[in-house]
Amino acid sequence: MTGYHERGSLRPSSDQRTNRPSTFHQYDKIQGSSDRESENSAHLRRTNFVFQGSLLAIAGIIVRIIGMIYRVPLTAIIGTEGNGYYTSAFSIYSLLLILSSYSLPTSLSRVISQNLAKNQYKNIVRVLRAALVYATVIGFLMFSVLFFGADRLADMLHKPYVSFSLQALAPTVWIMAYLGIARGYFQGTGNMVPTAISQILEQILNAIVSVLCADILYKKGQIADILYQDHEYAYAFGAKGGCIGTGAGALLALIFLLLLYRTRRGHFRRMVRKDPASPDSYRHIALVLGGTMLPILISSTVYNMSTVVDDYIFGNVMTAIGRETEIVLLWGVFGEYRILFNIPVALANSLSSSLIPSLTRAVEAGDRRNTIRRTRYAIRFTMLIAIPATFGMIALIHPICYMLFPSKNVETLISVTRVGAVAILFYSLSTISNAILQGLGYLHVPLRNAVISLVVHIVSLMAMLYAGLDLYAVMWSNILFAFLMCILNQIDIHKHVRFRQGILKTYVYPCIAALIMGAVCYVLDQGIAHVLPASMRDGRLGSAIRLCPAVCVGIVVYFLCLLAMHAFTKEDLDAMPMGGRLKRFVR
């Protein structure tokens, strides 16, 4: 293959080498697809992980766009202070979600794909039952921590009123545990469509319920402010209303996946009856599932807990230096930054979800060619999106912020986002490299790298906060955390897979193309801004008029630059969604 040099092998066991052809033949017969090189490119695009990951990525981007859109009226209702409570509550909720169910889809998809490769359907039944027991127990525990410990957690963050939002999110943790099982099952079969649809349904209902409940409860909070001679109840109640929508959306997604599974249950049961092998014991299943889940859970917790750590350290240090009155307001700005940050990072999260089961099957079969191919393309396609997203965010952050938050002073948000946009690139790369290492079976490696990066992150954050950098300290320390994760993960990937990523086509060419794209976007934005009337220039409509042409032209310029530099090979285009059309265009 082009773009890298193989220097070693994965050294599969002898029985893996012996059984690989029949195993892949059986699996392809069941799934109706094949990864063999002899298949035509259109069929490859329908079945490979890039196509499945692209479906999930499109859904993820739609979800983030919906999230960004509904956060605009939500923030308008609850204000920046309410957004500070909302962001803090979600930091705690996200951490407990990681402990309860975040690792379930990844772990289950890995274990299920291993059993599917061997046609062991009876084992899949037992894996699902064991996961159900785990979800029930851990979901209840996390619900109890969040509901009954809300006041204590709020005091730790120096935001007493955030307890209302924490209690509203408590049932969602339990629901998400069961939702993780359902998504893990479908992802393990290599089908990302159910997960994609469920995510969109979840976010649509979340948006509707969040805005409605926030408006209703904000008005209730205003009454409480008058009764108790306070000014925080309206913000806190409004944030609580926004959190209620999260649970409603999760419940709808769970119901959808359960109904979908019910339609396919007959076929699955027939495959179970045809399985001649005796299933493994529940003890063995629990050990395998736990052995897969625990490293992913711990590494995911360490990797994603930086936001909670930031919140805790930020509140305590700002209080220590006498700036406690700014905590909620500044953290609200950080929450608005996270809205923008999460959209491009959604691609890496989606591609990693589809990569793990497909990479696991390749490793199980001892297929070095497919293992390298999937690893190489996962990194390349992530960078093809993350790099221009970073440069585009820096170039167009002014009209983006004024379009989303037109009635606010967003100068602080613009300033910190220009710095924090670099984190998009490093978080995307570290996310996909975590998935590669997990798919290869080196589950403990991302954990070790995350611990090292987190320690450096904490030390740098505290030092910069005491130096008076406030939110900039959070931005720089997050960039440092993700950058260290990228370096350490890349070293381990090349150590275990032993191949050379094409540096020019993966990093250099996209950076050059994105730099040109960013310059064109900035010039076009400024040109349109000078034409518009001053009263309209920074309004929502004026910002949209500035933004839309710049984005459309930027996308075209970016891909034309890549084509001019011959950054794509025929294999690249075959693996890409709509690659056939691009190939005809290139010719």
Side-chain angles (χ1 to χ4, degrees), residues 327-376:
I327 294 174
V328 175
L329 185 63
L330 287 176
W331 207 249
V333 174
F334 180 71
E336 292 164 353
Y337 156 77
R338 295 289 296 185
I339 297 172
L340 305 174
F341 167 85
N342 284 332
I343 294 176
V345 176
L347 173 79
N349 290 324
S350 303
L351 194 59
S352 65
S353 296
S354 68
L355 172 67
I356 290 175
S358 65
L359 193 57
T360 299
R361 287 195 294 270
V363 173
E364 282 288 309
D367 189 344
R368 172 171 169 76
R369 183 180 181 84
N370 255 331
T371 300
I372 291 180
R373 177 176 173 271
R374 295 174 195 278
T375 302
R376 173 175 170 260

Side-chain angles (χ1 to χ4, degrees), residues 240-296:
K240 177 182 178 179
C243 293
I244 291 173
T246 306
L251 183 60
L252 176 63
L254 178 60
I255 292 172
F256 166 75
L257 290 178
L258 290 177
L259 291 174
L260 183 60
Y261 172 76
R262 187 178 179 84
T263 64
R264 303 183 180 186
R265 187 173 57 180
H267 172 73
F268 182 71
R269 285 179 172 177
R270 286 193 298 271
M271 299 309 298
V272 172
R273 286 194 295 269
K274 290 179 182 179
D275 183 3
S278 298
D280 295 333
S281 66
Y282 278 107
R283 173 185 168 83
H284 177 76
I285 292 290
L287 288 174
V288 171
L289 187 59
T292 304
M293 186 183 298
L294 192 60
I296 295 175

Side-chain angles (χ1 to χ4, degrees), residues 120-357:
Q120 294 177 342
Y121 282 88
K122 290 179 180 177
N123 275 352
I124 294 176
V125 173
R126 295 201 166 189
V127 167
L128 291 174
R129 288 174 180 170
L132 189 62
V133 172
Y134 169 82
T136 301
V137 174
I138 200 69
F140 172 74
L141 289 175
M142 295 304 162
F143 164 82
S144 301
V145 170
L146 204 54
F147 189 84
F148 299 109
D151 291 333
R152 176 62 179 163
L153 292 170
D155 289 339
M156 290 173 59
L157 297 175
H158 295 271
K159 303 182 185 79
Y161 293 94
V162 82
S163 60
F164 297 110
S165 297
L166 292 173
Q167 289 181 331
L169 287 168
T172 311
V173 179
W174 207 343
I175 296 170
M176 289 297 293
Y178 296 121
L179 185 57
I181 296 176
R183 284 174 173 165
Y185 167 75
F186 285 107
Q187 288 172 201
T189 63
N191 186 2
M192 305 296 156
V193 176
T195 296
I197 296 174
S198 70
Q199 287 177 344
I200 295 173
L201 292 175
E202 176 187 357
Q203 190 71 329
I204 290 173
L205 188 63
N206 178 16
I208 296 170
V209 175
S210 292
V211 174
L212 290 176
C213 289
D215 185 54
I216 293 169
L217 291 181
Y218 184 83
K219 292 174 181 176
K220 297 285 186 183
Q222 288 178 318
I223 298 172
D225 282 340
I226 296 172
L227 290 175
Y228 297 104
Q229 298 296 305
D230 204 325
H231 63 280
E232 294 294 325
Y233 280 105
Y235 302 130
F237 280 21
K240 177 182 178 179
C243 293
I244 291 173
T246 306
L251 183 60
L252 176 63
L254 178 60
I255 292 172
F256 166 75
L257 290 178
L258 290 177
L259 291 174
L260 183 60
Y261 172 76
R262 187 178 179 84
T263 64
R264 303 183 180 186
R265 187 173 57 180
H267 172 73
F268 182 71
R269 285 179 172 177
R270 286 193 298 271
M271 299 309 298
V272 172
R273 286 194 295 269
K274 290 179 182 179
D275 183 3
S278 298
D280 295 333
S281 66
Y282 278 107
R283 173 185 168 83
H284 177 76
I285 292 290
L287 288 174
V288 171
L289 187 59
T292 304
M293 186 183 298
L294 192 60
I296 295 175
L297 186 151
I298 298 174
S299 62
S300 298
T301 301
V302 175
Y303 181 70
N304 290 279
M305 73 184 299
S306 60
T307 303
V308 179
V309 172
D310 290 348
D311 198 352
Y312 176 77
I313 294 175
F314 186 78
N316 281 274
V317 175
M318 291 290 281
T319 301
I321 62 178
R323 298 177 62 183
E324 62 273 9
T325 57
E326 303 175 53
I327 294 174
V328 175
L329 185 63
L330 287 176
W331 207 249
V333 174
F334 180 71
E336 292 164 353
Y337 156 77
R338 295 289 296 185
I339 297 172
L340 305 174
F341 167 85
N342 284 332
I343 294 176
V345 176
L347 173 79
N349 290 324
S350 303
L351 194 59
S352 65
S353 296
S354 68
L355 172 67
I356 290 175

